Amino acid sequence: YEQQPPGITTLFLFDTPEVGGDTLFVSQVEAYNRLSPSFRSYLETLQVVHSGFEQAAHSLAGKRGGVVKRDPVQNVHPLVRVHPVTGEKALYVNRQFSRSIVGLKTEESDGILELLYSHIEKGADFQARIRWRPRTVVLWDNRVTAHSAVVDFISKGERRHGARITPQAERPYIDSTQSK
C-alpha cells in the first residue's frame, strides 16, 4: 500500500511457537503466468487501490498490540507490475491491502479480486512454506512474492515475535516509461 512498497525483505524470529506459526510464500510471477493469456492482457490494463487504513484500524482495535507506528496511507498501483531487474510480470494484489479495482463496478472489482486471491491462495505448487527454527533468516523480494503467517498457535497462548528489515523499492509500474 506504500507509494514505494518494500523490496528485498529480511525476517527473523526471536520467539516461535513450539508447533505452528509457519510462513507461506507465493510467487506472484508464477501466479500471473498460470492465468490465460487474454486474462493476463486484461489485468495489465487495471489499477488497484492499496490501503493501510484497515490494518491500522485492526491494530487500534487491540488485535496487533494496539500500536499504529505511523499514519496509514492509500495508493493506486498497477494490478500487474514488472520487476525492474528481471523484467518478469507479476500479480500485484493481496487480500490484506488491495481494496478495489479502479474504474470497475464494486461487484466486478470484488469478483476479479476474489478470483485472484483464491488463485494465489490455492496455488500450492508455486508456494513455499517456512517452518521457523532457531537462527532461521528468510529473505524475499516483496515486489514479486506474497507472504502470510499461519496463525495456528494463538489459541495455545504462544507467540511469534520477530524483526523485519524492509527497505523501500521503486514505485510499481507495468510500462517502463512509468518507472521514471
Side-chain angles (χ1 to χ4, degrees):
Y1 58 88
E2 301 288 347
Q3 184 172 3
Q4 288 180 250
I8 302 298
T9 297
T10 306
L11 177 64
F12 52 97
L13 299 181
F14 303 117
D15 294 322
T16 59
E18 197 170 307
V19 176
D22 297 355
T23 302
L24 296 173
F25 295 89
V26 62
S27 168
Q28 297 283 66
V29 170
E30 192 57 29
Y32 170 82
N33 288 336
R34 298 284 177 95
L35 299 170
S36 67
S38 59
F39 192 50
R40 290 193 311 247
S41 293
Y42 175 61
L43 294 178
E44 290 177 20
T45 69
L46 301 176
Q47 301 279 315
V48 178
V49 175
H50 290 256
S51 174
F53 284 90
E54 295 77 4
Q55 182 185 44
H58 184 73
S59 186
L60 286 173
K63 303 287 197 292
R64 293 180 68 158
V67 176
V68 175
K69 297 177 184 170
R70 62 183 180 77
D71 292 335
V73 296
Q74 178 175 294
N75 285 288
V76 174
H77 294 301
L79 192 146
V80 175
R81 69 169 296 166
V82 172
H83 191 282
V85 177
T86 67
E88 293 176 302
K89 293 179 181 177
L91 293 177
Y92 197 63
V93 295
N94 70 61
R95 193 178 292 278
Q96 189 173 8
F97 302 118
S98 303
R99 296 293 165 241
S100 63
I101 298 174
V102 176
L104 296 187
K105 293 180 181 179
T106 301
E107 60 269 20
E108 295 166 340
S109 172
D110 290 351
I112 291 172
L113 288 174
E114 189 56 43
L115 180 143
L116 293 173
Y117 299 151
S118 178
H119 172 65
I120 291 163
E121 292 161 3
K122 292 177 181 172
D125 61 331
F126 49 91
Q127 293 180 5
R129 184 177 185 129
I130 301 300
R131 169 68 178 119
W132 295 96
R133 304 273 186 235
R135 295 177 296 283
T136 299
V137 177
V138 177
L139 287 87
W140 70 93
D141 191 335
N142 250 313
R143 296 171 291 194
V144 293
T145 308
H147 69 285
S148 180
V150 179
V151 187
D152 56 356
F153 57 89
I154 293 177
S155 63
K156 301 176 186 105
E158 296 187 75
R159 74 182 201 150
R160 192 181 111 132
H161 178 72
R164 180 186 336 222
I165 301 168
T166 312
Q168 283 182 313
E170 69 290 330
R171 186 171 188 157
Y173 61 90
I174 184 67
D175 177 342
S176 63
T177 62
Q178 296 172 329
S179 67
K180 296 178 171 81

